[in-house]
Amino acid sequence: MPTELQVEERVFGGEHHSGRTARPLLPAMKRGMLGRCPHCGEGKLFRAFVKTVDKCGHCGEELHHHRADDLPAYLVVVIVGHIVLGAFMGVEATSTLSTWQHIAIWVPLTIILAVVLLQPVKGAVIGLQWAFYMHGFGGEEDLIESHPEA
């Protein structure tokens, strides 16, 4: 029987593991959701619908190396799915709409919600990455990990 197992606490982000100053998470995500630089909150985050600027025009923070990838789209699917499915079930339980009426309501609502939420969710993900020094926001290059040899 083992005597004691030592478990190392893993903490991600700021000062605990790297000596860097912790960045505020919620303000950074809020700034990103509003389409502003997660660092200063003044400069624009997007130059097109979901295309980010290379660097902030106000404070000069480099933003080109973010790696939001598909996470914003996955989060939007989950959010929209919960809203639309809950609303659909509520309407279905309290009314007698035909199939065509349901299609006329829920398909456009689903598309509109997905388009409206995509940019704010992507901005929040970029704010999260900035706050936790992820993917180049900490000043070091992002290295691609190789698979170990068998």
Side-chain angles (χ1 to χ4, degrees), residues 96-146:
T96 56
L97 296 176
S98 71
T99 302
W100 290 109
Q101 289 171 319
H102 278 297
I103 290 172
I105 294 169
W106 304 116
V107 171
L109 182 64
T110 301
I111 294 169
I112 290 167
L113 281 173
V115 170
V116 166
L117 287 174
L118 188 57
Q119 190 181 47
V121 170
K122 183 170 182 173
V125 169
I126 293 170
L128 176 125
Q129 291 177 349
W130 176 84
F132 286 157
Y133 293 94
M134 297 169 65
H135 304 299
F137 285 114
E140 66 278 343
E141 287 295 318
D142 231 6
L143 301 175
I144 297 175
E145 296 179 17
S146 61

Side-chain angles (χ1 to χ4, degrees), residues 23-52:
R23 293 175 174 168
L25 175 63
L26 293 179
M29 290 181 69
K30 181 180 176 186
R31 292 173 187 149
M33 282 184 75
L34 296 173
R36 297 292 174 197
C37 170
H39 181 232
C40 69
E42 297 293 325
K44 289 185 178 182
L45 183 58
F46 298 101
R47 68 173 181 229
F49 180 58
V50 289
K51 183 69 176 167
T52 58

Side-chain angles (χ1 to χ4, degrees), residues 60-71:
E61 179 76 32
E62 297 285 333
L63 300 167
H64 62 85
H65 41 65
H66 78 85
R67 296 280 309 271
D69 297 334
D70 293 335
L71 180 61

